[in-house]
Amino acid sequence: MSRQRAESRGSLGPDDEVMPYSDDETDDELAQSSDGEADELPPGAPHPPVEVRGSDVTWKVKANDRPYHHLPEFQKKVFLCFKKSKYSGNAIKTYKYNILTFIPLNLYEQFRRVANLYFLGLLILQIIPDITTLPWYTTLIPLVVVLGVTAIKDLVDDLARHRMDKEINNRKSEVLIDGRFQETKWRDIEVGDVVRLKKNDFIPADILLLSSSNPNSLCYVETAELDGETNLKFKMGLRVTDERLQEERQLAEFNALIECEEPNNRLDKFIGMMLWNRERYPLDLDNVLLRGCTVRNTEESHGVVIFAGADTKIMRNSGKTRFKRTKIDELMNYMVYTIFVLLLLVAAGLAIGHSFWYEEIGAKAWYLYDGKNDSTSYRGFLSFWGYIIVLNTMVPISLYVSVEVIRLGQSKFINWDLQMYCAEKDTPAKARTTTLNEQLGQIEYIFSDKTGTLTQNIMQFKKATIAGRCYGTHQAIPTLTLLVSPVDWSWNRDADRKFEFMDHSLVANVRSSKDKDAMEFFKLLSLCHTVMVESKEGELVYQAASPDEGALVTAARNFGFVFLSRTQDTITIREMDQEATYEMLALLDFNSDRKRMSIILKFPDGRIRLYCKGADTVIYERLSPNSRHKDTTQNALDTFANETLRTLCLCYKDIRIDEYEAWSRRHKEAQVTMVDREGALDRVYEQIESNLMLIGATAIEDKLQDGVPETIAKLAKADIKIWVLTGDKKETAENIGFSCSLLTDDMSIHYGEDVNEKLRIRQATRRTDPATYQRGKKESAQRFFTEPGKNALVITGGWLNEILYEKKKKRRRLRLRRLGKRPPPSSPQDGQPMNDWEKEMRQIDFVDMACECESVICCRVTPKQKANVVSLVKKYKKAVTLSIGDGANDVNMIKTADIGVGISGQEGMQAVMSSDYAFAQFRYLQRLLLVHGRWSYIRMCKFLRYFFFKNFAFTLVHFWYSFFSGYSSQVAYEDWFITLYNLCYSSLPVLLVGLLDQDVNDKLSLKFPKLYLAGQQGTLFNYRNFFVSLFHGIFVSLIIFFIPYGAFLQTMGQDGEAPSDYQSFAVVTATSLVFAVNLQISLDTSYWTFVNCFAVLGSIAIYFGIMFDIHSAGIHVIFPSVFTFTGVASNAMRQPYLWLTIILTVGISLLPVICIQFLHKSIWPSVGDRVQKNRKKYEMEIEEEEKKKAPTFQRGRRSRRSAYAFSHSRGYADLISSGRSIRRRPQPRSGPQDSIREVSHREAENI
């Protein structure tokens, strides 16, 4: 089935190319757009310029004047009467504790955990003599161990944060202090300071660029830390500061006042004004260097700090640091509450039993008189608290510390995994948190960035079609394909050695100079662009506005057409070793509406020619009827696009001199118009870009990271849905969607307008038929897509706001504030939500619709919108979410998701610093989830089930014993056994299961992604499993108490002595319990190692060793009141009868478990059981597959999919044509093009 696509109705909705507003959009912007709603302007009418009104501006920065920013008018209240400056310092702080606050704060945080507070209360109860039934140390020792281990872990984590903060805050920059530049640490920089930056320096704060060593104060910056893109962006200073602020003395005298918007998170917007020498100068984002960027290709630049530290845009985009907890954590807490309720009920029942017993028996038996004349009810009250102490081990204190130890170990295994180590970047995987590992085994939705996450942001010239002939494909015998070697570029001294091309025939055609079309093709690529060039150590280095342009110019360079240099009005290239200079008459730059760029050149022989490259959709409309090869090129484009390559058509047009002169006059008029200048220029460009002659087309691969399609396919088999959230254009995002198999030919793709219409219909139906949709109903049973087949959603940020009412909501709030009254209620016909419930239902509808789709791609979305989409799915689907990204624009999304993953390496570290896990390649995600995540989940579930069981089995023996001890709160075991049971006798085997156990190995985990479903469904640990553990514990405690009790009843030992004393009974029950729980964990262990075996046997050996020691006469002599079981162990263990009792007890307690496990694996096997059963067969299959080395991902071969994704932003044409970036040639020029250049240059400087 061919893919269906909804027709775009751009005029009826938001612009797909425009990045929508964020929550920090200024009121001025909204006011302007709100006014525009009320008074719609006719098409082509002038829009009023945006100005910063002084009355609304509260952020004022004065250069070289630190005291100014501490004036009372800039103070804000911190606490009570204490105030401080509203301007943040430049130091950042991510740590939680310092030397003074560590102990009190850490203890406060730990005692916020209910279990710790409960045990503190128990400790206090045990100090009260009338209540205590156990020595105080039985609770104190485990509590101190738990608090100590957790505190050490928190301290280690916080010290790492301290080190990172210290490293950043202690970086050095040159700051102008007392009239000269001095090296200053970042933390000491303040708002208003003048800073000098050198090449390759990190930018320490948000800085207004004043001047630089480049012409016209141009400064190149790399924004990898912000958005993951490695291509350079340019910033420029104002003309006035460029001319007057080059020297140190001039900078020291600089005293301008900068008024601008308040600190916000908008990376794409800045509005301000500079007041200097009674003149006002407008400021915008092109004048600002943002923190997190790096200065490139600029030897020296100067600027004044306007936002520092927490006020910078990169920090504002980091979002709130949310405390993340796993689902198992929440479930575990609820289960502890359940246990606590059970404990209260059991203690209350036993206390009532004691009251009745004392009334009926205890008070009447003279030998039970204790010398106290307490009432029956008071004795029952004391018995209640006594049983709270005795049965306290039902709420396991060591549970939390054991969980922390397991999580720490699992985090180390992730760090040590060599299969997640990237040798190219020397980057291992890093678990930056130790609290979320098992959640990795429950992921249902993944939200991924595109640039730098799915792709490498590296473009490669792969194929071309020239004059109807395709190049770049192998026409070789299939078996010999591997023998085809890349082209040898040694004949070209200027070639980029990293460039690879496989088709030798195209090189031969170009080198022979016989194929004129091929020569013209590469000449166009070397001339028609806005790339800047510089020479580094004899090598040419190209700086392009987009990676696409860089790839095309590099391709031309390797084929012998080398772009060498450019001035304001010339371009010099080397054509097959012949240097030629062309006069540039006009440069018609790319933008998202035109989807093409052109250049008009005067050749050395006097000819005038226009070269143009652009999307096939716009180029074909402008081709001459006489143009050849249209059909063959169209077929090639279809083939390239179907292979998800980014295609671009190349064409030319010869222009007569009189035609050019007439056009240049119109061009000049359009350049100086004050009304809709961009529209006027576009219309003039249209006139000259017509009757074009087609040369051919290029095909560029937006190189995916290794293994991305395979990873996505494997995660999809594990029923994990992947959504792509990106700031890129729709075409680019859709293109990549096909490349990585998120979108396929058999999917029906739905766009914003289609989605909006379906949601509007659902909303109208809900209003007309409210009975169908009750208020409390969160999910509707009706599906949005009733047709059979797969569906996908491709939606832009503008449509997202439209659908979720985000922008309209803020505009209404603004109007309400300005008018001072409530707006009238919406009518059902206006398409607006009538109340908050309707807005919530609209959001639910959108999430339901998106979740019905196989794939969702949100493009042109802001960082805030990325986080909003994640939170919507978390809120309405109650799903476990994971976000993965590599730039500062992904930080909010990473923090919002249940688990955040940062891609580390060349793209910047901002995302990594905010993430929970980090690695270098997207493909490692499958191993993180399907191997480490699944294992962690299985281990944690098995650990918790067993832990609850062993504690119930241990504690409930006291309950059964109470029926035979007058409900007197007497314990069934020795005190030291109670203290050491969870610490020494039963902790190590279960800890090792929690650390090392695995049902199948890593290769089988990846081969069978369906094994992952158990975690998503939460089947291995839930309330059902909890109650199974409870009843299992009750059964084992019954066996452990009543079989020894029956054996001891009316019994005589071998030596004629009765072994039925209380102390011998306590030893036998304790020994039976230790054997039973250690053998039970042996039955539950799937993966045996020497360490597991040693732990089980070692725990039993430790029990006997300690028991014989504390029952010895020697220790009783030293501490007679503490160690009272003198000689009991040696006496009891001499009796074969008691050993038979122990064997019988352990055997009966384990027999049902063995039978149930056998039946389950035989009759109702799980997916894991079936894989385990055929493990050897599957392992052999994997080995055979590895030997065969399956072929790499094959691209589809069906329908046309992608067209043009040429550039993410406007190119450098304004800079080139205005001469800002190039040193001007000293000699004057004449001719019509001179006047065009001069006007452009003058006008650009006056703006």
Side-chain angles (χ1 to χ4, degrees):
M1 185 177 75
S2 64
R3 188 169 51 82
Q4 304 158 18
R5 303 179 67 157
E7 288 299 317
S8 176
R9 297 198 307 252
S11 59
L12 301 179
D15 186 350
D16 284 345
E17 301 295 341
V18 175
M19 186 80 78
Y21 81 107
S22 75
D23 266 14
D24 280 347
E25 186 165 21
T26 63
D27 284 351
D28 288 321
E29 295 168 64
L30 279 173
Q32 189 184 14
S33 55
S34 298
D35 296 341
E37 283 179 346
D39 305 309
E40 289 293 335
L41 294 170
H47 289 270
V50 178
E51 293 183 0
V52 180
R53 291 189 286 276
S55 59
D56 294 338
V57 171
T58 57
W59 195 265
K60 300 181 180 181
V61 175
K62 195 163 188 184
N64 289 315
D65 192 351
R66 287 187 174 185
Y68 175 81
H69 305 107
H70 297 280
L71 292 174
E73 63 185 283
F74 302 125
Q75 300 284 309
K76 66 176 180 181
K77 188 182 288 186
V78 181
F79 177 71
L80 297 177
C81 59
F82 297 100
K83 293 184 176 182
K84 72 168 189 175
S85 172
K86 71 173 185 177
Y87 300 95
S88 291
N90 204 41
I92 60 165
K93 173 191 163 188
T94 60
Y95 60 83
K96 289 163 66 178
Y97 312 112
N98 58 37
I99 295 173
L100 297 176
T101 61
F102 174 69
I103 291 175
L105 260 183
N106 190 262
L107 286 176
Y108 169 72
E109 285 183 357
Q110 290 205 59
F111 281 116
R112 286 174 68 186
R113 189 174 271 168
V114 178
N116 289 343
L117 202 59
Y118 164 73
F119 280 102
L120 182 65
L122 272 182
L123 187 61
I124 294 166
L125 287 176
Q126 285 177 284
I127 297 169
I128 303 171
D130 284 350
I131 293 175
T132 185
T133 51
L134 282 170
W136 53 268
Y137 53 78
T138 57
T139 299
L140 180 67
I141 292 173
L143 183 62
V144 168
V145 169
V146 168
L147 295 177
V149 169
T150 309
I152 289 168
K153 176 187 153 298
D154 290 344
L155 181 63
V156 169
D157 287 349
D158 207 56
L159 285 173
R161 285 191 286 267
H162 267 279
R163 280 194 296 273
M164 188 169 283
D165 288 350
K166 190 175 180 182
E167 181 190 334
I168 292 171
N169 291 331
N170 285 342
R171 286 177 180 171
K172 301 286 182 65
S173 276
E174 291 186 65
V175 178
L176 193 63
I177 300 173
D178 299 330
R180 61 191 183 88
F181 282 105
Q182 301 177 20
E183 260 201 359
T184 305
K185 292 178 179 176
W186 278 21
R187 67 184 181 199
D188 298 325
I189 294 174
E190 293 185 21
V191 168
D193 285 353
V194 173
V195 178
R196 179 161 67 192
L197 300 171
K198 301 287 182 68
K199 189 175 179 179
N200 299 328
D201 276 359
F202 290 107
I203 297 169
D206 288 355
I207 290 172
L208 173 66
L209 180 62
L210 299 175
S211 61
S212 78
S213 54
N214 287 346
N216 295 291
S217 290
L218 195 75
C219 179
Y220 291 98
V221 293
E222 187 182 89
T223 59
E225 291 263 354
L226 287 176
D227 53 21
E229 294 182 10
T230 51
N231 51 296
L232 299 189
K233 313 284 192 304
F234 62 84
K235 303 288 182 180
M236 52 189 142
L238 296 173
R239 180 184 174 191
V240 63
T241 56
D242 170 50
E243 291 174 350
R244 303 186 198 172
L245 297 177
Q246 292 290 348
E247 302 297 327
E248 193 174 278
R249 177 185 54 77
Q250 294 172 321
L251 288 162
E253 293 169 359
F254 179 59
N255 63 349
L257 180 68
I258 295 132
E259 297 179 348
C260 62
E261 60 190 32
E262 289 283 322
N264 59 64
N265 66 358
R266 293 205 61 174
L267 294 170
D268 60 333
K269 195 93 174 174
F270 175 81
I271 297 175
M273 179 194 58
M274 184 176 78
L275 180 63
W276 188 31
N277 295 336
R278 300 183 181 179
E279 293 287 333
R280 289 176 178 268
Y281 304 94
L283 306 173
D284 59 26
L285 191 66
D286 285 341
N287 309 126
V288 178
L289 307 176
L290 298 180
R291 178 174 178 147
C293 299
T294 309
V295 177
R296 300 288 190 210
N297 298 355
T298 308
E299 294 301 327
E300 199 172 272
S301 54
H302 306 102
V304 60
V305 176
I306 47 177
F307 300 127
D311 293 332
T312 56
K313 289 184 181 286
I314 192 171
M315 297 303 290
R316 286 274 171 158
N317 260 296
S318 61
K320 278 186 181 177
T321 301
R322 294 169 175 85
F323 177 64
K324 296 183 179 181
R325 298 176 69 182
T326 66
K327 270 190 170 180
I328 282 183
D329 255 339
E330 293 171 9
L331 202 55
M332 197 163 66
N333 278 346
Y334 283 124
M335 286 173 182
V336 169
Y337 298 146
T338 306
I339 293 170
F340 186 62
V341 170
L342 286 173
L343 172 62
L344 291 175
L345 292 174
V346 170
L350 293 174
I352 293 168
H354 179 69
S355 299
F356 276 104
W357 175 87
Y358 187 77
E359 189 75 33
E360 297 296 323
I361 300 170
K364 298 172 183 176
W366 59 268
Y367 55 86
L368 293 175
Y369 180 63
D370 57 2
K372 296 176 181 176
N373 295 315
D374 298 332
S375 66
T376 303
S377 57
Y378 182 68
R379 285 178 180 273
F381 173 75
L382 293 179
S383 178
F384 170 78
W385 290 110
Y387 271 115
I388 290 287
I389 294 170
V390 170
L391 302 175
N392 76 76
T393 46
M394 279 176 71
V395 182
I397 187 170
S398 57
L399 172 65
Y400 290 101
V401 72
S402 302
V403 165
E404 294 295 336
V405 170
I406 288 170
R407 285 172 172 166
L408 181 64
Q410 289 167 348
S411 299
K412 293 297 180 188
F413 292 148
I414 292 172
N415 296 349
W416 296 336
D417 190 345
L418 289 176
Q419 292 188 54
M420 293 171 69
Y421 168 75
C422 181
E424 294 169 10
K425 299 178 183 176
D426 189 25
T427 306
K430 174 73 175 170
R432 293 172 46 81
T433 180
T434 58
T435 58
L436 301 172
N437 298 318
E438 66 274 11
Q439 190 102 307
L440 289 169
Q442 297 183 282
I443 301 299
E444 294 170 71
Y445 290 87
I446 292 174
F447 300 91
S448 174
D449 179 40
K450 182 195 77 71
T451 307
T453 304
L454 297 177
T455 66
Q456 298 181 26
N457 204 29
I458 297 172
M459 306 300 168
Q460 288 191 340
F461 180 84
K462 283 289 182 186
K463 297 184 180 182
T465 175
I466 304 172
R469 182 180 171 186
C470 284
Y471 298 94
T473 51
H474 308 308
Q475 304 298 328
I477 301 165
T479 53
L480 300 177
T481 302
L482 294 174
L483 302 177
V484 177
S485 58
V487 171
D488 180 13
W489 303 107
S490 57
W491 58 274
N492 183 353
R493 70 174 187 273
D494 294 310
D496 183 345
R497 305 298 170 195
K498 295 176 186 174
F499 180 81
E500 277 194 4
F501 196 74
M502 307 303 289
D503 195 338
H504 294 254
S505 62
L506 181 56
V507 183
N509 284 357
V510 174
R511 291 189 70 185
S512 67
S513 301
K514 291 176 183 176
D515 190 337
K516 300 302 178 187
D517 290 312
M519 302 284 284
E520 198 67 18
F521 181 91
F522 288 108
K523 183 187 285 188
L524 186 154
L525 291 182
S526 66
L527 292 168
C528 183
H529 56 77
T530 58
V531 172
M532 318 293 276
V533 64
E534 66 171 342
S535 184
K536 251 187 213 175
E537 300 173 1
E539 287 283 324
L540 292 174
V541 179
Y542 294 150
Q543 301 296 345
S546 77
D548 304 63
E549 278 216 312
L552 293 173
V553 177
T554 301
R557 167 183 176 176
N558 276 56
F559 280 93
F561 290 78
V562 186
F563 167 52
L564 296 175
S565 65
R566 77 187 322 145
T567 66
Q568 183 181 346
D569 41 35
T570 65
I571 295 182
T572 303
I573 64 171
R574 183 181 293 120
E575 303 175 30
M576 308 303 290
D577 295 327
Q578 297 294 318
E579 200 167 300
T581 298
Y582 295 83
E583 195 175 316
M584 186 176 71
L585 304 180
L587 187 58
L588 287 52
D589 199 10
F590 163 86
N591 66 39
S592 58
D593 295 323
R594 284 167 39 74
K595 298 188 177 179
R596 63 190 183 279
M597 77 158 291
S598 301
I599 189 169
I600 302 175
L601 299 168
K602 189 171 184 179
F603 280 46
D605 61 7
R607 287 181 299 142
I608 296 177
R609 176 169 284 187
L610 175 143
Y611 283 132
C612 179
K613 63 182 180 185
D616 57 319
T617 52
V618 295
I619 295 295
Y620 266 70
E621 295 170 359
R622 292 162 176 78
L623 289 180
S624 166
N626 302 324
S627 182
R628 296 184 302 153
H629 312 299
K630 284 197 276 191
D631 292 337
T632 50
T633 304
Q634 184 66 56
N635 292 334
L637 283 168
D638 289 342
T639 305
F640 296 158
N642 194 51
E643 294 173 3
T644 66
L645 300 173
R646 295 158 71 121
T647 55
L648 200 62
C649 286
L650 311 185
C651 49
Y652 73 94
K653 174 186 178 180
D654 286 317
I655 304 172
R656 300 189 314 275
I657 292 177
D658 60 329
E659 182 186 354
Y660 168 73
E661 287 176 348
W663 178 84
S664 70
R665 284 192 292 272
R666 294 193 295 275
H667 184 214
K668 175 181 174 182
E669 290 167 6
Q671 282 183 312
V672 295
T673 184
M674 297 305 292
V675 178
D676 190 23
R677 180 181 299 155
E678 287 191 5
L681 282 170
D682 283 350
R683 288 189 289 274
V684 172
Y685 294 165
E686 280 285 347
Q687 295 166 10
I688 199 77
E689 292 172 328
S690 60
N691 292 317
L692 305 172
M693 302 299 291
L694 185 66
I695 302 174
T698 62
I700 294 175
E701 181 184 30
D702 186 358
K703 197 167 173 61
L704 288 174
Q705 290 192 9
D706 294 339
V708 166
E710 295 88 343
T711 300
I712 288 174
K714 197 147 280 184
L715 293 174
K717 287 179 184 173
D719 208 19
I720 298 172
K721 289 194 168 90
I722 299 180
W723 294 19
V724 174
L725 312 178
T726 176
D728 277 346
K729 295 181 354 182
K730 188 164 72 174
E731 294 94 335
T732 314
E734 200 174 330
N735 193 314
I736 291 300
F738 281 104
S739 295
C740 60
S741 304
L742 268 176
L743 302 177
T744 56
D745 288 318
D746 59 351
M747 284 183 182
S748 181
I749 298 181
H750 304 271
Y751 296 95
E753 52 271 37
D754 184 28
V755 172
N756 198 36
E757 182 62 19
K758 284 182 183 291
L759 293 175
R760 189 192 62 75
I761 293 168
R762 176 65 59 91
Q763 182 173 300
T765 309
R766 188 182 291 115
R767 286 171 174 172
T768 54
D769 187 15
T772 312
Y773 306 90
Q774 292 91 16
R775 261 178 188 271
K777 199 173 180 183
K778 291 281 182 184
E779 291 186 28
S780 61
Q782 296 176 332
R783 290 178 64 85
F784 284 92
F785 305 112
T786 52
E787 305 85 4
K790 297 178 181 178
N791 295 286
L793 209 63
V794 176
I795 191 164
T796 59
W799 274 112
L800 206 56
N801 279 346
E802 193 79 14
I803 288 164
L804 302 177
Y805 301 133
E806 290 297 331
K807 192 159 190 172
K808 296 169 186 173
K809 175 190 73 176
K810 182 152 185 174
R811 285 177 178 168
R812 279 203 309 279
R813 198 164 64 233
L814 180 71
R815 288 201 203 101
L816 187 143
R817 190 170 73 234
R818 290 193 170 174
L819 297 174
K821 62 180 181 180
R822 295 181 65 82
S826 301
S827 65
Q829 287 80 27
D830 69 354
Q832 295 298 305
M834 294 171 67
N835 49 42
D836 287 340
W837 177 78
E838 270 209 350
K839 183 175 187 299
E840 184 182 0
M841 290 307 296
R842 174 85 159 193
Q843 291 179 345
I844 293 170
D845 287 344
F846 171 70
V847 173
D848 287 344
M849 182 192 288
C851 292
E852 283 180 29
C853 297
E854 302 293 318
S855 302
V856 177
I857 296 177
C858 298
C859 39
R860 278 309 199 205
V861 287
T862 63
K864 187 75 174 175
Q865 282 181 309
K866 290 183 179 185
N868 286 345
V869 170
V870 176
S871 59
L872 282 176
V873 174
K874 278 178 66 179
K875 181 179 179 183
Y876 296 125
K877 286 295 172 185
K878 307 296 181 193
V880 182
T881 57
L882 178 146
S883 290
I884 178 168
D886 69 316
N889 57 345
D890 303 315
V891 166
N892 215 341
M893 170 177 81
I894 284 170
K895 287 187 173 181
T896 303
D898 294 299
I899 290 181
V901 177
I903 300 287
S904 59
Q906 64 184 9
E907 292 88 2
M909 295 298 290
Q910 192 67 24
V912 170
M913 288 171 67
S914 304
S915 66
D916 305 306
Y917 298 89
F919 43 71
Q921 294 278 332
F922 180 84
R923 63 191 164 97
Y924 297 143
L925 187 61
Q926 64 174 321
R927 187 167 178 84
L928 183 72
L929 300 187
L930 302 183
V931 177
H932 290 287
R934 200 180 71 81
W935 280 351
S936 295
Y937 174 72
I938 290 171
R939 290 164 179 169
M940 187 59 73
C941 293
K942 194 175 278 190
F943 165 81
L944 291 171
R945 292 199 308 265
Y946 174 79
F947 204 95
F948 284 128
F949 151 72
K950 79 181 181 71
N951 273 60
F952 287 136
F954 165 62
T955 306
L956 292 175
V957 171
H958 296 302
F959 176 75
W960 308 121
Y961 180 63
S962 65
F963 291 99
F964 302 92
S965 64
Y967 311 98
S968 59
S969 310
Q970 187 180 2
V971 292
Y973 310 113
E974 183 209 1
D975 295 345
W976 280 101
F977 178 78
I978 294 171
T979 305
L980 299 174
Y981 172 74
N982 273 322
L983 287 179
C984 299
Y985 304 154
S986 63
S987 60
L988 197 55
V990 70
L991 267 180
L992 288 171
V993 165
L995 284 168
L996 303 174
D997 203 49
Q998 49 183 265
D999 54 347
V1000 296
N1001 63 28
D1002 55 344
K1003 290 180 180 177
L1004 290 176
S1005 295
L1006 292 170
K1007 183 177 174 66
F1008 297 100
K1010 288 290 179 191
L1011 292 168
Y1012 192 80
L1013 296 179
Q1016 292 176 330
Q1017 296 159 1
T1019 54
L1020 300 185
F1021 186 69
N1022 48 38
Y1023 259 102
R1024 178 182 164 277
N1025 301 120
F1026 170 73
F1027 283 111
V1028 167
S1029 295
L1030 172 60
F1031 289 119
H1032 187 196
I1034 291 170
F1035 169 75
V1036 170
S1037 65
L1038 268 167
I1039 300 298
I1040 282 173
F1041 177 80
F1042 281 103
I1043 288 182
Y1045 175 76
F1048 271 60
L1049 209 60
Q1050 299 176 348
T1051 305
M1052 187 67 70
Q1054 267 187 334
D1055 53 3
E1057 294 179 2
S1060 54
D1061 62 287
Y1062 158 72
Q1063 292 187 335
S1064 297
F1065 176 77
V1067 168
V1068 171
T1069 52
T1071 306
S1072 301
L1073 178 68
V1074 169
F1075 273 110
V1077 295
N1078 280 290
L1079 292 177
Q1080 175 65 51
I1081 196 66
S1082 304
L1083 290 175
D1084 289 340
T1085 302
S1086 303
Y1087 182 68
W1088 277 95
T1089 64
F1090 166 76
V1091 183
N1092 292 81
C1093 188
F1094 176 80
V1096 171
L1097 298 175
S1099 294
I1100 296 170
I1102 287 170
Y1103 163 71
F1104 281 108
I1106 292 177
M1107 181 177 67
F1108 280 110
D1109 277 345
I1110 61 179
H1111 290 189
S1112 65
I1115 200 164
H1116 173 71
V1117 171
I1118 302 169
F1119 305 105
S1121 61
V1122 178
F1123 300 98
T1124 55
F1125 275 50
T1126 311
V1128 175
S1130 55
N1131 181 50
M1133 294 297 111
R1134 274 204 317 268
Q1135 309 285 345
Y1137 181 78
L1138 297 187
W1139 277 107
L1140 285 172
T1141 303
I1142 291 168
I1143 292 168
L1144 181 65
T1145 305
V1146 173
I1148 293 175
S1149 67
L1150 294 178
L1151 188 62
V1153 178
I1154 295 169
C1155 294
I1156 291 168
Q1157 284 188 359
F1158 173 77
L1159 288 172
H1160 258 290
K1161 293 195 176 184
S1162 304
I1163 302 171
W1164 308 290
S1166 65
V1167 178
D1169 293 334
R1170 288 196 290 269
V1171 173
Q1172 274 181 314
K1173 188 177 179 181
N1174 302 302
R1175 180 173 54 86
K1176 290 193 176 178
K1177 172 188 156 188
Y1178 292 137
E1179 284 175 350
M1180 287 174 66
E1181 285 177 9
I1182 291 171
E1183 284 177 16
E1184 286 174 13
E1185 285 172 12
E1186 286 176 351
K1187 285 176 185 174
K1188 288 178 185 175
K1189 290 186 179 175
T1192 54
F1193 167 68
Q1194 297 293 318
R1195 299 176 182 275
R1197 288 183 174 81
R1198 283 193 193 168
S1199 64
R1200 180 79 189 282
R1201 303 200 271 256
S1202 64
Y1204 181 56
F1206 175 46
S1207 180
H1208 300 170
S1209 59
R1210 197 174 174 87
Y1212 294 152
D1214 288 344
L1215 285 172
I1216 295 163
S1217 58
S1218 66
R1220 280 180 173 271
S1221 63
I1222 303 147
R1223 302 205 180 273
R1224 293 163 187 68
R1225 300 174 71 184
Q1227 66 270 25
R1229 291 180 20 83
S1230 60
Q1233 67 276 7
D1234 181 45
S1235 60
I1236 292 172
R1237 285 295 140 253
E1238 278 300 310
V1239 169
S1240 176
H1241 170 53
R1242 245 195 326 271
E1243 198 271 326
E1245 289 189 325
N1246 290 335
I1247 289 175

